[in-house]
Amino acid sequence: MTAIPTFTGDANPYGGGDPYADYRTADFPFTQYANLADRQLGAGVIAANDEFFAQRENLLVPERAEFDPEHFGHKGKIMDGWETRRRRGASAEHPWPTAEDHDWALVRLGAPGVIRGIVVDTAHFRGNYPQAVSVEGACVPGSPSPEELLGDDVKWTTLVPRTPVGGHAANGFAVSAEQRFTHLRINQHPDGGVARLRVYGEVVPDPEWLAVLGTFDVVALENGGQVEDASNLFYSPATNTIQPGRSRKMDDGWETRRRRDQGNDWIRYRLVAQSRIRAIEIDTAYLKGNSAGWASVSVRDGEGGEWTEVLPRTRLQPDTNHRFVLAAPAVGTHARVDIFPDGGISRLRLFGSLTEQGAGGLAARHQELGG
């Protein structure tokens, strides 16, 4: 595995022009996974000990941070991130913060899961970023309050030890803890600002909840579905197709570049577990002049199983939600949607229920990960 690039130290002061011109970043291998701290999944920053200069909620804004050099308020420069005041020591003789002093924010993940990597982005925090950061995770059932999360009975696991970071940089950290987490605590040592927080991993749903639901979307990200691969990601990520809710604009779906050959585009998915699929939805919301012309859906059971077409190639309409009831349930662990010849869809829904084998496997994994 390629080593994770490390950025430390100040960035140059902003000198005009493109504020991202000297931004330090890299291709992190774990970004293939879904962002568990996505607001669209229901993530939130539920508490912080200090947010004097900039609000904690900015951490999870989906768009990249913006910078306006002329934007000032009554408390000083307004930054697009979470920024705390400067810490001070106890006296004139000791004006510096102690080694233990730090600021913190509590983050509720949008979907509980195994974390594969974290990006602490300090974009535009050039001389006011934290000296170091650390991140801890906890698995707490229900909807705990900040006070409950900070109680002595909650076990926090270190995911990112206290590590120096750089200003105006995407600071990435691979995580190796094979546990299920519901909440994070991000710490700034001793103070400063962070623009964005991204938490990449695999959703691990609650088997009891899915059992109560009975019939549900077995490919939905929030229920544990995943995108494994796609033919083309030119305009938007394939993971958009299994996000909660309907698409809200054109780039909130999956769209490919225009083909100039006789091929077609596709996405391959892994279902939450072995499932019995009974109905399909293919939505082309907001894709009006660029929706797929036709689509088919296939299912296979197991990594080495044969693909079986359950929805034959069918004409799609622009900006329309298409619903199909299968003549007989299709059992499988993976699904694939093929679009012809190119274009896009906004959402794919596969409604069904877990088989006995699928429910047993999911329950065993949930228990193994400490859920």
Side-chain angles (χ1 to χ4, degrees), residues 124-201:
H124 315 305
F125 289 93
R126 296 168 178 266
N128 50 347
Y129 61 94
Q131 182 183 32
V133 299
S134 61
V135 183
E136 302 160 278
C139 185
V140 183
S143 304
S145 67
E147 292 75 21
E148 290 171 322
L149 288 170
L150 296 172
D152 294 336
D153 57 335
V154 173
K155 177 187 176 183
W156 290 92
T157 300
T158 298
L159 305 180
V160 178
R162 181 170 176 168
T163 307
V165 294
H168 196 44
N171 299 277
F173 307 94
V175 176
S176 58
E178 285 293 322
Q179 299 178 49
R180 180 178 184 266
F181 295 102
T182 59
H183 294 78
L184 297 187
R185 181 164 60 191
I186 176 173
N187 304 300
Q188 301 193 64
H189 306 270
D191 54 38
V194 173
R196 298 288 188 266
L197 176 70
R198 306 293 188 232
V199 183
Y200 297 98

Side-chain angles (χ1 to χ4, degrees), residues 86 112 131 171 179 206 243 301 367:
R86 299 187 188 219
Q131 182 183 32
N171 299 277
Q179 299 178 49
D206 183 350
Q243 288 278 7
D301 192 24
Q367 183 176 17

Side-chain angles (χ1 to χ4, degrees), residues 52-179:
F52 186 86
F53 286 116
Q55 296 174 325
R56 64 182 190 259
E57 287 86 358
N58 290 331
L59 282 172
L60 304 188
V61 170
E63 294 79 20
R64 70 176 188 172
E66 297 181 351
F67 180 73
D68 181 353
E70 305 299 327
H71 198 189
F72 285 83
H74 294 294
K75 294 181 179 180
K77 182 73 184 72
I78 296 177
M79 297 293 290
D80 185 6
W82 167 50
E83 186 181 7
T84 66
R85 72 193 78 200
R86 299 187 188 219
R87 282 184 170 269
R88 298 294 186 239
S91 66
E93 290 73 27
H94 298 280
W96 310 280
T98 70
E100 292 74 31
D101 286 342
H102 67 277
D103 293 317
W104 53 264
L106 294 176
V107 176
R108 179 190 64 243
L109 297 180
V114 178
I115 298 169
R116 301 301 182 192
I118 295 172
V119 174
V120 178
D121 191 343
T122 58
H124 315 305
F125 289 93
R126 296 168 178 266
N128 50 347
Y129 61 94
Q131 182 183 32
V133 299
S134 61
V135 183
E136 302 160 278
C139 185
V140 183
S143 304
S145 67
E147 292 75 21
E148 290 171 322
L149 288 170
L150 296 172
D152 294 336
D153 57 335
V154 173
K155 177 187 176 183
W156 290 92
T157 300
T158 298
L159 305 180
V160 178
R162 181 170 176 168
T163 307
V165 294
H168 196 44
N171 299 277
F173 307 94
V175 176
S176 58
E178 285 293 322
Q179 299 178 49

